[in-house]
């Protein structure tokens, strides 16, 4: 009986240690996917392209169109390790250091230290910013529409977020969120339109 009790105690201790190890590993894993205006995970403005791509297999890296502007394609390098949470696209400077880093995969694990991630609502973002902000309207160039125009020195200053509409709106209300003069984040029409974060971009050229 004593041997049985001792075996049971040891088993419980092993399970407990395993759970703690798993939870700790999960927390450390998530800690590696933090976005700030100066850093994306371990990638900074000084990271060299050759150094970075050596960390991945050839089939995990490909050149892709980041966006198009006036019929000019802006090319970037997409890193995709078959784990959607890790994917990102890098636009390079002439010296092959990162110019911008864009994250847009719906399953992405990347987030800001304030908890903003792909799929966050506009209300979530305003709460994280701790101030109202403004976005561009939805009839202008696709790469610009729904992007943040001004953070007003909020907590998310330095990042570039783009929002997408997920719910239909009557024409009269939709017309009210067009234009490039800047639409306030607390505009009730934006929440009614179901705006969520479509992409997060870090621009290392902006100080």
């Amino acid at each position: 009986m004593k041997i049985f009790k001792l075996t049971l105690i040891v088993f419980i201790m092993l399970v407990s240690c395993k759970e703690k190890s798993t939870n700790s590993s999960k927390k450390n894993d998530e800690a590696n996917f933090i976005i700030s205006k100066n850093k994306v995970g371990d990638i900074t403005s000084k990271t060299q392209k050759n150094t970075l791509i050596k960390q991945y297999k050839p089939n995990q890296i490909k050149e892709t169109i980041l966006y198009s502007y006036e019929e000019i394609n802006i090319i970037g390098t997409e890193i995709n390790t078959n784990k959607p949470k890790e994917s990102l696209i890098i636009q390079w400077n002439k010296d092959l250091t990162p110019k911008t880093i864009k994250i847009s995969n719906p399953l992405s694990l990347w987030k800001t230290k304030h908890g903003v991630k792909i799929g966050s609502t506009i209300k979530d973002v305003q709460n994280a910013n701790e101030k109202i902000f403004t976005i561009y309207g939805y009839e202008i160039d696709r790469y610009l529409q729904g992007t943040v125009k001004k953070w007003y020195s909020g907590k998310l200053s330095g990042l570039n977020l783009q929002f997408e509409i997920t719910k239909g709106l009557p024409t009269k209300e939709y017309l009210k969120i067009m234009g490039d003069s800047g639409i306030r984040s607390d505009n009730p029409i934006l929440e009614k339109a179901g705006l969520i974060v479509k992409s997060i971009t870090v621009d290392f050229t902006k100080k």
Side-chain angles (χ1 to χ4, degrees), residues 42-117:
D42 293 327
I43 306 173
T44 70
S45 62
K46 297 181 179 180
T47 301
Q48 290 291 324
K49 183 177 182 179
N50 288 340
T51 302
L52 183 63
I53 63 176
K54 284 179 181 178
Q55 300 174 25
Y56 302 95
K57 298 176 182 178
N59 65 347
Q60 295 176 331
I61 299 174
K62 68 176 181 179
E63 299 301 290
T64 188
I65 297 175
L66 191 58
Y67 63 88
S68 298
Y69 175 70
E70 295 183 351
E71 299 185 356
I72 298 175
N73 293 330
I74 307 302
I75 305 299
T77 299
E78 181 178 4
I79 296 176
N80 192 337
T81 62
N82 296 321
K83 296 179 181 178
K85 65 182 182 181
E86 298 179 358
S87 63
L88 49 79
I89 301 175
I90 304 174
Q91 180 186 2
W92 304 98
N93 290 306
K94 290 182 178 179
D95 65 354
L96 298 182
T97 56
K99 181 177 181 180
T100 66
I101 298 179
K102 182 179 181 180
I103 294 149
S104 59
N105 192 298
L107 301 177
S108 176
L109 191 64
W110 294 102
K111 62 182 178 180
T112 72
K113 63 181 181 180
H114 306 95
V116 173
K117 58 185 179 180

Side-chain angles (χ1 to χ4, degrees), residues 111-148:
K111 62 182 178 180
T112 72
K113 63 181 181 180
H114 306 95
V116 173
K117 58 185 179 180
I118 305 302
S120 291
T121 66
I122 194 162
K123 188 174 183 179
D124 291 336
V125 175
Q126 182 173 292
N127 289 339
N129 192 49
E130 295 185 4
K131 286 187 176 183
I132 63 100
F133 57 93
T134 55
I135 66 170
Y136 287 98
Y138 284 88
E139 95 291 2
I140 55 179
D141 293 334
R142 187 173 297 179
Y143 81 95
L144 190 60
Q145 64 182 9
T147 58
V148 174

